[in-house]
PDB file of all heavy atoms in Angstrom:
ATOM      1  N   LEU A 145      -5.252  -0.045  -3.610  1.00 73.00           N
ATOM      2  CA  LEU A 145      -6.258   0.962  -3.270  1.00 73.00           C
ATOM      3  C   LEU A 145      -6.681   1.715  -4.524  1.00 73.00           C
ATOM      4  O   LEU A 145      -5.859   2.000  -5.396  1.00 73.00           O
ATOM      5  CB  LEU A 145      -5.691   1.947  -2.242  1.00 73.00           C
ATOM      6  CG  LEU A 145      -5.293   1.374  -0.873  1.00 73.00           C
ATOM      7  CD1 LEU A 145      -4.642   2.454  -0.027  1.00 73.00           C
ATOM      8  CD2 LEU A 145      -6.494   0.798  -0.151  1.00 73.00           C
ATOM      9  N   THR A 146      -7.946   2.066  -4.586  1.00 79.00           N
ATOM     10  CA  THR A 146      -8.424   2.861  -5.707  1.00 79.00           C
ATOM     11  C   THR A 146      -8.053   4.321  -5.487  1.00 79.00           C
ATOM     12  O   THR A 146      -7.710   4.729  -4.367  1.00 79.00           O
ATOM     13  CB  THR A 146      -9.948   2.758  -5.845  1.00 79.00           C
ATOM     14  OG1 THR A 146     -10.563   3.354  -4.686  1.00 79.00           O
ATOM     15  CG2 THR A 146     -10.394   1.301  -5.962  1.00 79.00           C
ATOM     16  N   ASP A 147      -8.132   5.117  -6.536  1.00 87.00           N
ATOM     17  CA  ASP A 147      -7.843   6.543  -6.404  1.00 87.00           C
ATOM     18  C   ASP A 147      -8.784   7.193  -5.395  1.00 87.00           C
ATOM     19  O   ASP A 147      -8.366   8.066  -4.615  1.00 87.00           O
ATOM     20  CB  ASP A 147      -7.976   7.243  -7.761  1.00 87.00           C
ATOM     21  CG  ASP A 147      -6.879   6.844  -8.735  1.00 87.00           C
ATOM     22  OD1 ASP A 147      -5.871   6.261  -8.291  1.00 87.00           O
ATOM     23  OD2 ASP A 147      -7.032   7.120  -9.941  1.00 87.00           O
ATOM     24  N   VAL A 150      -7.590   6.351  -1.864  1.00 84.00           N
ATOM     25  CA  VAL A 150      -6.392   7.119  -1.503  1.00 84.00           C
ATOM     26  C   VAL A 150      -6.780   8.564  -1.192  1.00 84.00           C
ATOM     27  O   VAL A 150      -6.299   9.160  -0.220  1.00 84.00           O
ATOM     28  CB  VAL A 150      -5.351   7.070  -2.639  1.00 84.00           C
ATOM     29  CG1 VAL A 150      -4.184   8.014  -2.336  1.00 84.00           C
ATOM     30  CG2 VAL A 150      -4.840   5.649  -2.819  1.00 84.00           C
ATOM     31  N   ALA A 151      -7.658   9.130  -2.004  1.00 85.00           N
ATOM     32  CA  ALA A 151      -8.087  10.510  -1.801  1.00 85.00           C
ATOM     33  C   ALA A 151      -8.800  10.686  -0.460  1.00 85.00           C
ATOM     34  O   ALA A 151      -8.777  11.769   0.135  1.00 85.00           O
ATOM     35  CB  ALA A 151      -8.990  10.950  -2.945  1.00 85.00           C
ATOM     36  N   LEU A 153      -8.061   9.147   2.313  1.00 82.00           N
ATOM     37  CA  LEU A 153      -7.170   8.941   3.457  1.00 82.00           C
ATOM     38  C   LEU A 153      -6.771  10.271   4.091  1.00 82.00           C
ATOM     39  O   LEU A 153      -6.383  11.213   3.394  1.00 82.00           O
ATOM     40  CB  LEU A 153      -5.904   8.194   3.017  1.00 82.00           C
ATOM     41  CG  LEU A 153      -6.050   6.737   2.589  1.00 82.00           C
ATOM     42  CD1 LEU A 153      -4.732   6.232   1.988  1.00 82.00           C
ATOM     43  CD2 LEU A 153      -6.453   5.860   3.772  1.00 82.00           C
ATOM     44  N   VAL A 158      -2.880   7.460   6.094  1.00 86.00           N
ATOM     45  CA  VAL A 158      -1.691   7.127   5.306  1.00 86.00           C
ATOM     46  C   VAL A 158      -0.661   6.435   6.194  1.00 86.00           C
ATOM     47  O   VAL A 158      -0.060   5.428   5.825  1.00 86.00           O
ATOM     48  CB  VAL A 158      -1.080   8.384   4.656  1.00 86.00           C
ATOM     49  CG1 VAL A 158       0.279   8.068   4.023  1.00 86.00           C
ATOM     50  CG2 VAL A 158      -2.025   8.948   3.607  1.00 86.00           C
ATOM     51  N   LEU A 161      -1.308   2.694   6.901  1.00 79.00           N
ATOM     52  CA  LEU A 161      -1.197   1.677   5.851  1.00 79.00           C
ATOM     53  C   LEU A 161      -0.046   0.725   6.161  1.00 79.00           C
ATOM     54  O   LEU A 161       1.028   1.154   6.588  1.00 79.00           O
ATOM     55  CB  LEU A 161      -0.947   2.338   4.490  1.00 79.00           C
ATOM     56  CG  LEU A 161      -2.081   3.194   3.900  1.00 79.00           C
ATOM     57  CD1 LEU A 161      -1.604   3.873   2.603  1.00 79.00           C
ATOM     58  CD2 LEU A 161      -3.318   2.345   3.620  1.00 79.00           C
ATOM     59  N   PRO A 163       3.099  -1.704   5.233  1.00 81.00           N
ATOM     60  CA  PRO A 163       4.095  -1.560   4.164  1.00 81.00           C
ATOM     61  C   PRO A 163       3.621  -2.181   2.848  1.00 81.00           C
ATOM     62  O   PRO A 163       3.862  -1.627   1.770  1.00 81.00           O
ATOM     63  CB  PRO A 163       5.316  -2.298   4.734  1.00 81.00           C
ATOM     64  CG  PRO A 163       5.169  -2.145   6.209  1.00 81.00           C
ATOM     65  CD  PRO A 163       3.690  -2.247   6.464  1.00 81.00           C
ATOM     66  N   GLN A 165       0.516  -2.518   1.824  1.00 77.00           N
ATOM     67  CA  GLN A 165      -0.497  -1.632   1.238  1.00 77.00           C
ATOM     68  C   GLN A 165       0.153  -0.399   0.621  1.00 77.00           C
ATOM     69  O   GLN A 165      -0.219   0.045  -0.463  1.00 77.00           O
ATOM     70  CB  GLN A 165      -1.507  -1.217   2.304  1.00 77.00           C
ATOM     71  CG  GLN A 165      -2.447  -2.314   2.764  1.00 77.00           C
ATOM     72  CD  GLN A 165      -3.313  -1.874   3.926  1.00 77.00           C
ATOM     73  OE1 GLN A 165      -2.824  -1.289   4.894  1.00 77.00           O
ATOM     74  NE2 GLN A 165      -4.598  -2.155   3.835  1.00 77.00           N
ATOM     75  N   PHE A 166       1.130   0.149   1.317  1.00 87.00           N
ATOM     76  CA  PHE A 166       1.816   1.354   0.834  1.00 87.00           C
ATOM     77  C   PHE A 166       2.502   1.069  -0.498  1.00 87.00           C
ATOM     78  O   PHE A 166       2.533   1.917  -1.394  1.00 87.00           O
ATOM     79  CB  PHE A 166       2.833   1.815   1.877  1.00 87.00           C
ATOM     80  CG  PHE A 166       3.260   3.256   1.734  1.00 87.00           C
ATOM     81  CD1 PHE A 166       2.403   4.290   2.075  1.00 87.00           C
ATOM     82  CD2 PHE A 166       4.531   3.580   1.268  1.00 87.00           C
ATOM     83  CE1 PHE A 166       2.794   5.612   1.953  1.00 87.00           C
ATOM     84  CE2 PHE A 166       4.927   4.902   1.141  1.00 87.00           C
ATOM     85  CZ  PHE A 166       4.056   5.926   1.493  1.00 87.00           C
ATOM     86  N   ALA A 167       3.032  -0.144  -0.622  1.00 86.00           N
ATOM     87  CA  ALA A 167       3.740  -0.514  -1.849  1.00 86.00           C
ATOM     88  C   ALA A 167       2.815  -0.631  -3.048  1.00 86.00           C
ATOM     89  O   ALA A 167       3.278  -0.575  -4.193  1.00 86.00           O
ATOM     90  CB  ALA A 167       4.480  -1.840  -1.639  1.00 86.00           C
ATOM     91  N   THR A 168       1.503  -0.778  -2.796  1.00 84.00           N
ATOM     92  CA  THR A 168       0.570  -0.887  -3.924  1.00 84.00           C
ATOM     93  C   THR A 168       0.205   0.476  -4.512  1.00 84.00           C
ATOM     94  O   THR A 168      -0.423   0.532  -5.574  1.00 84.00           O
ATOM     95  CB  THR A 168      -0.739  -1.597  -3.507  1.00 84.00           C
ATOM     96  OG1 THR A 168      -1.480  -0.764  -2.602  1.00 84.00           O
ATOM     97  CG2 THR A 168      -0.449  -2.938  -2.854  1.00 84.00           C
ATOM     98  N   LEU A 169       0.560   1.562  -3.837  1.00 91.00           N
ATOM     99  CA  LEU A 169       0.213   2.883  -4.351  1.00 91.00           C
ATOM    100  C   LEU A 169       0.926   3.120  -5.687  1.00 91.00           C
ATOM    101  O   LEU A 169       2.115   2.857  -5.831  1.00 91.00           O
ATOM    102  CB  LEU A 169       0.620   3.971  -3.352  1.00 91.00           C
ATOM    103  CG  LEU A 169      -0.084   3.944  -1.988  1.00 91.00           C
ATOM    104  CD1 LEU A 169       0.429   5.071  -1.105  1.00 91.00           C
ATOM    105  CD2 LEU A 169      -1.597   4.047  -2.142  1.00 91.00           C
ATOM    106  N   THR A 170       0.177   3.594  -6.650  1.00 93.00           N
ATOM    107  CA  THR A 170       0.764   3.870  -7.964  1.00 93.00           C
ATOM    108  C   THR A 170       1.580   5.153  -7.900  1.00 93.00           C
ATOM    109  O   THR A 170       1.472   5.950  -6.950  1.00 93.00           O
ATOM    110  CB  THR A 170      -0.336   4.034  -9.020  1.00 93.00           C
ATOM    111  OG1 THR A 170      -1.110   5.211  -8.708  1.00 93.00           O
ATOM    112  CG2 THR A 170      -1.249   2.814  -9.063  1.00 93.00           C
ATOM    113  N   ASN A 171       2.385   5.374  -8.921  1.00 95.00           N
ATOM    114  CA  ASN A 171       3.168   6.611  -8.970  1.00 95.00           C
ATOM    115  C   ASN A 171       2.257   7.831  -8.933  1.00 95.00           C
ATOM    116  O   ASN A 171       2.560   8.830  -8.263  1.00 95.00           O
ATOM    117  CB  ASN A 171       4.026   6.642 -10.241  1.00 95.00           C
ATOM    118  CG  ASN A 171       5.126   5.599 -10.211  1.00 95.00           C
ATOM    119  OD1 ASN A 171       5.369   4.960  -9.189  1.00 95.00           O
ATOM    120  ND2 ASN A 171       5.786   5.398 -11.341  1.00 95.00           N
ATOM    121  N   ALA A 172       1.143   7.752  -9.645  1.00 96.00           N
ATOM    122  CA  ALA A 172       0.205   8.873  -9.662  1.00 96.00           C
ATOM    123  C   ALA A 172      -0.406   9.111  -8.286  1.00 96.00           C
ATOM    124  O   ALA A 172      -0.591  10.266  -7.859  1.00 96.00           O
ATOM    125  CB  ALA A 172      -0.896   8.614 -10.690  1.00 96.00           C
ATOM    126  N   GLN A 173      -0.716   8.034  -7.570  1.00 95.00           N
ATOM    127  CA  GLN A 173      -1.279   8.178  -6.230  1.00 95.00           C
ATOM    128  C   GLN A 173      -0.250   8.742  -5.252  1.00 95.00           C
ATOM    129  O   GLN A 173      -0.582   9.586  -4.409  1.00 95.00           O
ATOM    130  CB  GLN A 173      -1.791   6.818  -5.742  1.00 95.00           C
ATOM    131  CG  GLN A 173      -3.044   6.340  -6.479  1.00 95.00           C
ATOM    132  CD  GLN A 173      -3.418   4.908  -6.131  1.00 95.00           C
ATOM    133  OE1 GLN A 173      -2.558   4.099  -5.748  1.00 95.00           O
ATOM    134  NE2 GLN A 173      -4.683   4.562  -6.291  1.00 95.00           N
ATOM    135  N   LEU A 174       0.988   8.307  -5.372  1.00 96.00           N
ATOM    136  CA  LEU A 174       2.046   8.836  -4.504  1.00 96.00           C
ATOM    137  C   LEU A 174       2.251  10.332  -4.742  1.00 96.00           C
ATOM    138  O   LEU A 174       2.521  11.086  -3.810  1.00 96.00           O
ATOM    139  CB  LEU A 174       3.354   8.072  -4.746  1.00 96.00           C
ATOM    140  CG  LEU A 174       3.398   6.642  -4.210  1.00 96.00           C
ATOM    141  CD1 LEU A 174       4.577   5.885  -4.802  1.00 96.00           C
ATOM    142  CD2 LEU A 174       3.492   6.641  -2.681  1.00 96.00           C
ATOM    143  N   THR A 175       2.106  10.753  -5.986  1.00 95.00           N
ATOM    144  CA  THR A 175       2.274  12.166  -6.319  1.00 95.00           C
ATOM    145  C   THR A 175       1.240  13.030  -5.614  1.00 95.00           C
ATOM    146  O   THR A 175       1.514  14.204  -5.302  1.00 95.00           O
ATOM    147  CB  THR A 175       2.167  12.361  -7.849  1.00 95.00           C
ATOM    148  OG1 THR A 175       3.181  11.591  -8.487  1.00 95.00           O
ATOM    149  CG2 THR A 175       2.341  13.818  -8.240  1.00 95.00           C
ATOM    150  N   THR A 176       0.074  12.472  -5.320  1.00 94.00           N
ATOM    151  CA  THR A 176      -0.991  13.258  -4.686  1.00 94.00           C
ATOM    152  C   THR A 176      -0.828  13.384  -3.172  1.00 94.00           C
ATOM    153  O   THR A 176      -1.512  14.188  -2.547  1.00 94.00           O
ATOM    154  CB  THR A 176      -2.372  12.637  -4.966  1.00 94.00           C
ATOM    155  OG1 THR A 176      -2.477  11.365  -4.302  1.00 94.00           O
ATOM    156  CG2 THR A 176      -2.602  12.457  -6.451  1.00 94.00           C
ATOM    157  N   LEU A 177       0.057  12.589  -2.580  1.00 94.00           N
ATOM    158  CA  LEU A 177       0.237  12.660  -1.127  1.00 94.00           C
ATOM    159  C   LEU A 177       0.810  14.022  -0.740  1.00 94.00           C
ATOM    160  O   LEU A 177       1.712  14.548  -1.386  1.00 94.00           O
ATOM    161  CB  LEU A 177       1.158  11.546  -0.637  1.00 94.00           C
ATOM    162  CG  LEU A 177       0.657  10.115  -0.831  1.00 94.00           C
ATOM    163  CD1 LEU A 177       1.668   9.109  -0.262  1.00 94.00           C
ATOM    164  CD2 LEU A 177      -0.709   9.905  -0.171  1.00 94.00           C
ATOM    165  N   THR A 178       0.293  14.577   0.326  1.00 93.00           N
ATOM    166  CA  THR A 178       0.716  15.911   0.766  1.00 93.00           C
ATOM    167  C   THR A 178       1.902  15.831   1.721  1.00 93.00           C
ATOM    168  O   THR A 178       2.245  14.764   2.232  1.00 93.00           O
ATOM    169  CB  THR A 178      -0.435  16.620   1.479  1.00 93.00           C
ATOM    170  OG1 THR A 178      -0.734  15.917   2.711  1.00 93.00           O
ATOM    171  CG2 THR A 178      -1.694  16.656   0.609  1.00 93.00           C
ATOM    172  N   VAL A 179       2.492  16.979   1.968  1.00 94.00           N
ATOM    173  CA  VAL A 179       3.599  17.069   2.928  1.00 94.00           C
ATOM    174  C   VAL A 179       3.156  16.558   4.294  1.00 94.00           C
ATOM    175  O   VAL A 179       3.884  15.824   4.981  1.00 94.00           O
ATOM    176  CB  VAL A 179       4.094  18.523   3.024  1.00 94.00           C
ATOM    177  CG1 VAL A 179       5.017  18.703   4.225  1.00 94.00           C
ATOM    178  CG2 VAL A 179       4.821  18.928   1.747  1.00 94.00           C
ATOM    179  N   GLN A 181       0.800  14.402   4.963  1.00 93.00           N
ATOM    180  CA  GLN A 181       0.616  12.954   4.939  1.00 93.00           C
ATOM    181  C   GLN A 181       1.946  12.217   4.983  1.00 93.00           C
ATOM    182  O   GLN A 181       2.071  11.157   5.610  1.00 93.00           O
ATOM    183  CB  GLN A 181      -0.173  12.547   3.692  1.00 93.00           C
ATOM    184  CG  GLN A 181      -1.660  12.924   3.744  1.00 93.00           C
ATOM    185  CD  GLN A 181      -2.368  12.619   2.439  1.00 93.00           C
ATOM    186  OE1 GLN A 181      -1.857  12.899   1.366  1.00 93.00           O
ATOM    187  NE2 GLN A 181      -3.566  12.054   2.524  1.00 93.00           N
ATOM    188  N   LEU A 182       2.965  12.777   4.334  1.00 95.00           N
ATOM    189  CA  LEU A 182       4.269  12.121   4.287  1.00 95.00           C
ATOM    190  C   LEU A 182       5.057  12.281   5.584  1.00 95.00           C
ATOM    191  O   LEU A 182       6.009  11.545   5.833  1.00 95.00           O
ATOM    192  CB  LEU A 182       5.097  12.672   3.122  1.00 95.00           C
ATOM    193  CG  LEU A 182       4.602  12.301   1.721  1.00 95.00           C
ATOM    194  CD1 LEU A 182       5.396  13.062   0.657  1.00 95.00           C
ATOM    195  CD2 LEU A 182       4.725  10.798   1.486  1.00 95.00           C
ATOM    196  N   VAL A 185       5.120   9.043   7.608  1.00 92.00           N
ATOM    197  CA  VAL A 185       5.400   7.791   6.924  1.00 92.00           C
ATOM    198  C   VAL A 185       6.548   7.065   7.630  1.00 92.00           C
ATOM    199  O   VAL A 185       7.504   7.693   8.092  1.00 92.00           O
ATOM    200  CB  VAL A 185       5.747   8.065   5.438  1.00 92.00           C
ATOM    201  CG1 VAL A 185       6.376   6.853   4.777  1.00 92.00           C
ATOM    202  CG2 VAL A 185       4.485   8.470   4.683  1.00 92.00           C
ATOM    203  N   GLN A 189       7.400   1.533   5.542  1.00 90.00           N
ATOM    204  CA  GLN A 189       6.622   1.915   4.357  1.00 90.00           C
ATOM    205  C   GLN A 189       7.551   2.342   3.222  1.00 90.00           C
ATOM    206  O   GLN A 189       7.375   1.936   2.070  1.00 90.00           O
ATOM    207  CB  GLN A 189       5.654   3.045   4.701  1.00 90.00           C
ATOM    208  CG  GLN A 189       4.462   2.616   5.556  1.00 90.00           C
ATOM    209  CD  GLN A 189       3.602   3.798   5.985  1.00 90.00           C
ATOM    210  OE1 GLN A 189       4.122   4.840   6.384  1.00 90.00           O
ATOM    211  NE2 GLN A 189       2.292   3.646   5.922  1.00 90.00           N
ATOM    212  N   ILE A 190       8.554   3.155   3.549  1.00 93.00           N
ATOM    213  CA  ILE A 190       9.502   3.620   2.536  1.00 93.00           C
ATOM    214  C   ILE A 190      10.304   2.454   1.971  1.00 93.00           C
ATOM    215  O   ILE A 190      10.573   2.382   0.765  1.00 93.00           O
ATOM    216  CB  ILE A 190      10.440   4.689   3.124  1.00 93.00           C
ATOM    217  CG1 ILE A 190       9.669   5.999   3.340  1.00 93.00           C
ATOM    218  CG2 ILE A 190      11.645   4.944   2.214  1.00 93.00           C
ATOM    219  CD1 ILE A 190       9.084   6.602   2.077  1.00 93.00           C
ATOM    220  N   SER A 192       9.328  -0.355   1.337  1.00 88.00           N
ATOM    221  CA  SER A 192       8.519  -1.156   0.421  1.00 88.00           C
ATOM    222  C   SER A 192       8.438  -0.553  -0.981  1.00 88.00           C
ATOM    223  O   SER A 192       7.945  -1.198  -1.906  1.00 88.00           O
ATOM    224  CB  SER A 192       7.100  -1.310   0.970  1.00 88.00           C
ATOM    225  OG  SER A 192       6.359  -0.091   0.855  1.00 88.00           O
ATOM    226  N   LEU A 193       8.927   0.683  -1.156  1.00 91.00           N
ATOM    227  CA  LEU A 193       8.813   1.365  -2.445  1.00 91.00           C
ATOM    228  C   LEU A 193       9.995   1.066  -3.363  1.00 91.00           C
ATOM    229  O   LEU A 193      11.121   0.884  -2.905  1.00 91.00           O
ATOM    230  CB  LEU A 193       8.724   2.881  -2.236  1.00 91.00           C
ATOM    231  CG  LEU A 193       7.552   3.411  -1.405  1.00 91.00           C
ATOM    232  CD1 LEU A 193       7.574   4.948  -1.388  1.00 91.00           C
ATOM    233  CD2 LEU A 193       6.218   2.906  -1.931  1.00 91.00           C
ATOM    234  N   ASN A 194       9.726   1.056  -4.666  1.00 92.00           N
ATOM    235  CA  ASN A 194      10.818   0.922  -5.626  1.00 92.00           C
ATOM    236  C   ASN A 194      11.323   2.305  -6.032  1.00 92.00           C
ATOM    237  O   ASN A 194      10.786   3.338  -5.595  1.00 92.00           O
ATOM    238  CB  ASN A 194      10.374   0.111  -6.855  1.00 92.00           C
ATOM    239  CG  ASN A 194       9.194   0.738  -7.589  1.00 92.00           C
ATOM    240  OD1 ASN A 194       9.093   1.967  -7.720  1.00 92.00           O
ATOM    241  ND2 ASN A 194       8.295  -0.105  -8.087  1.00 92.00           N
ATOM    242  N   ALA A 195      12.355   2.338  -6.841  1.00 92.00           N
ATOM    243  CA  ALA A 195      12.986   3.606  -7.208  1.00 92.00           C
ATOM    244  C   ALA A 195      12.015   4.556  -7.914  1.00 92.00           C
ATOM    245  O   ALA A 195      11.985   5.761  -7.634  1.00 92.00           O
ATOM    246  CB  ALA A 195      14.209   3.343  -8.088  1.00 92.00           C
ATOM    247  N   ALA A 196      11.204   4.015  -8.820  1.00 93.00           N
ATOM    248  CA  ALA A 196      10.262   4.860  -9.554  1.00 93.00           C
ATOM    249  C   ALA A 196       9.245   5.501  -8.617  1.00 93.00           C
ATOM    250  O   ALA A 196       8.827   6.654  -8.825  1.00 93.00           O
ATOM    251  CB  ALA A 196       9.555   4.038 -10.627  1.00 93.00           C
ATOM    252  N   GLN A 197       8.862   4.780  -7.584  1.00 95.00           N
ATOM    253  CA  GLN A 197       7.905   5.332  -6.619  1.00 95.00           C
ATOM    254  C   GLN A 197       8.543   6.445  -5.794  1.00 95.00           C
ATOM    255  O   GLN A 197       7.877   7.417  -5.436  1.00 95.00           O
ATOM    256  CB  GLN A 197       7.378   4.214  -5.711  1.00 95.00           C
ATOM    257  CG  GLN A 197       6.435   3.240  -6.421  1.00 95.00           C
ATOM    258  CD  GLN A 197       6.076   2.054  -5.546  1.00 95.00           C
ATOM    259  OE1 GLN A 197       6.967   1.365  -5.030  1.00 95.00           O
ATOM    260  NE2 GLN A 197       4.792   1.792  -5.388  1.00 95.00           N
ATOM    261  N   ILE A 198       9.826   6.294  -5.478  1.00 95.00           N
ATOM    262  CA  ILE A 198      10.531   7.367  -4.766  1.00 95.00           C
ATOM    263  C   ILE A 198      10.562   8.627  -5.633  1.00 95.00           C
ATOM    264  O   ILE A 198      10.303   9.743  -5.157  1.00 95.00           O
ATOM    265  CB  ILE A 198      11.970   6.933  -4.399  1.00 95.00           C
ATOM    266  CG1 ILE A 198      11.942   5.792  -3.376  1.00 95.00           C
ATOM    267  CG2 ILE A 198      12.762   8.124  -3.854  1.00 95.00           C
ATOM    268  CD1 ILE A 198      11.367   6.165  -2.022  1.00 95.00           C
ATOM    269  N   THR A 199      10.856   8.468  -6.901  1.00 95.00           N
ATOM    270  CA  THR A 199      10.865   9.608  -7.826  1.00 95.00           C
ATOM    271  C   THR A 199       9.497  10.281  -7.857  1.00 95.00           C
ATOM    272  O   THR A 199       9.396  11.518  -7.919  1.00 95.00           O
ATOM    273  CB  THR A 199      11.257   9.164  -9.242  1.00 95.00           C
ATOM    274  OG1 THR A 199      12.562   8.584  -9.207  1.00 95.00           O
ATOM    275  CG2 THR A 199      11.257  10.336 -10.213  1.00 95.00           C
ATOM    276  N   ALA A 200       8.446   9.489  -7.787  1.00 95.00           N
ATOM    277  CA  ALA A 200       7.083  10.022  -7.851  1.00 95.00           C
ATOM    278  C   ALA A 200       6.752  10.935  -6.678  1.00 95.00           C
ATOM    279  O   ALA A 200       5.862  11.786  -6.789  1.00 95.00           O
ATOM    280  CB  ALA A 200       6.080   8.879  -7.921  1.00 95.00           C
ATOM    281  N   LEU A 201       7.454  10.780  -5.570  1.00 95.00           N
ATOM    282  CA  LEU A 201       7.199  11.646  -4.416  1.00 95.00           C
ATOM    283  C   LEU A 201       7.604  13.090  -4.696  1.00 95.00           C
ATOM    284  O   LEU A 201       7.154  14.007  -4.008  1.00 95.00           O
ATOM    285  CB  LEU A 201       7.942  11.125  -3.177  1.00 95.00           C
ATOM    286  CG  LEU A 201       7.481   9.775  -2.627  1.00 95.00           C
ATOM    287  CD1 LEU A 201       8.383   9.338  -1.483  1.00 95.00           C
ATOM    288  CD2 LEU A 201       6.025   9.849  -2.159  1.00 95.00           C
ATOM    289  N   GLY A 202       8.465  13.282  -5.694  1.00 92.00           N
ATOM    290  CA  GLY A 202       8.855  14.634  -6.088  1.00 92.00           C
ATOM    291  C   GLY A 202       9.530  15.403  -4.973  1.00 92.00           C
ATOM    292  O   GLY A 202      10.210  14.837  -4.107  1.00 92.00           O
ATOM    293  N   ALA A 203       9.297  16.711  -4.960  1.00 92.00           N
ATOM    294  CA  ALA A 203       9.936  17.583  -3.967  1.00 92.00           C
ATOM    295  C   ALA A 203       9.450  17.285  -2.552  1.00 92.00           C
ATOM    296  O   ALA A 203      10.137  17.627  -1.576  1.00 92.00           O
ATOM    297  CB  ALA A 203       9.677  19.045  -4.319  1.00 92.00           C
ATOM    298  N   ASP A 204       8.292  16.637  -2.434  1.00 94.00           N
ATOM    299  CA  ASP A 204       7.757  16.342  -1.107  1.00 94.00           C
ATOM    300  C   ASP A 204       8.540  15.260  -0.386  1.00 94.00           C
ATOM    301  O   ASP A 204       8.259  14.962   0.774  1.00 94.00           O
ATOM    302  CB  ASP A 204       6.280  15.938  -1.213  1.00 94.00           C
ATOM    303  CG  ASP A 204       5.379  17.101  -1.582  1.00 94.00           C
ATOM    304  OD1 ASP A 204       5.808  18.261  -1.421  1.00 94.00           O
ATOM    305  OD2 ASP A 204       4.245  16.863  -2.038  1.00 94.00           O
ATOM    306  N   VAL A 205       9.518  14.661  -1.062  1.00 95.00           N
ATOM    307  CA  VAL A 205      10.354  13.664  -0.394  1.00 95.00           C
ATOM    308  C   VAL A 205      11.056  14.278   0.807  1.00 95.00           C
ATOM    309  O   VAL A 205      11.381  13.581   1.781  1.00 95.00           O
ATOM    310  CB  VAL A 205      11.384  13.064  -1.387  1.00 95.00           C
ATOM    311  CG1 VAL A 205      12.463  14.079  -1.750  1.00 95.00           C
ATOM    312  CG2 VAL A 205      12.010  11.788  -0.825  1.00 95.00           C
ATOM    313  N   LEU A 208       9.606  13.697   4.381  1.00 96.00           N
ATOM    314  CA  LEU A 208       9.710  12.418   5.089  1.00 96.00           C
ATOM    315  C   LEU A 208      10.457  12.598   6.406  1.00 96.00           C
ATOM    316  O   LEU A 208      11.403  13.388   6.491  1.00 96.00           O
ATOM    317  CB  LEU A 208      10.446  11.391   4.228  1.00 96.00           C
ATOM    318  CG  LEU A 208       9.734  10.900   2.969  1.00 96.00           C
ATOM    319  CD1 LEU A 208      10.685  10.017   2.149  1.00 96.00           C
ATOM    320  CD2 LEU A 208       8.474  10.121   3.332  1.00 96.00           C
ATOM    321  N   GLN A 220      17.242   3.819  -4.111  1.00 94.00           N
ATOM    322  CA  GLN A 220      16.196   4.801  -3.834  1.00 94.00           C
ATOM    323  C   GLN A 220      16.756   6.219  -3.801  1.00 94.00           C
ATOM    324  O   GLN A 220      16.141   7.158  -4.322  1.00 94.00           O
ATOM    325  CB  GLN A 220      15.511   4.466  -2.511  1.00 94.00           C
ATOM    326  CG  GLN A 220      14.650   3.203  -2.549  1.00 94.00           C
ATOM    327  CD  GLN A 220      14.127   2.819  -1.174  1.00 94.00           C
ATOM    328  OE1 GLN A 220      14.856   2.888  -0.181  1.00 94.00           O
ATOM    329  NE2 GLN A 220      12.872   2.425  -1.096  1.00 94.00           N
TER     330      GLN A 220
END
Side-chain angles (χ1 to χ4, degrees):
L145 297 175
T146 65
D147 291 345
V150 173
L153 292 171
V158 171
L161 293 175
Q165 289 174 313
F166 200 73
T168 68
L169 297 180
T170 65
N171 292 351
Q173 290 172 334
L174 288 166
T175 300
T176 67
L177 296 181
T178 66
V179 167
Q181 288 175 316
L182 291 172
V185 166
Q189 287 174 317
I190 288 299
S192 73
L193 300 184
N194 59 38
Q197 289 173 306
I198 294 295
T199 300
L201 294 175
D204 290 342
V205 71
L208 292 173
Q220 290 173 318

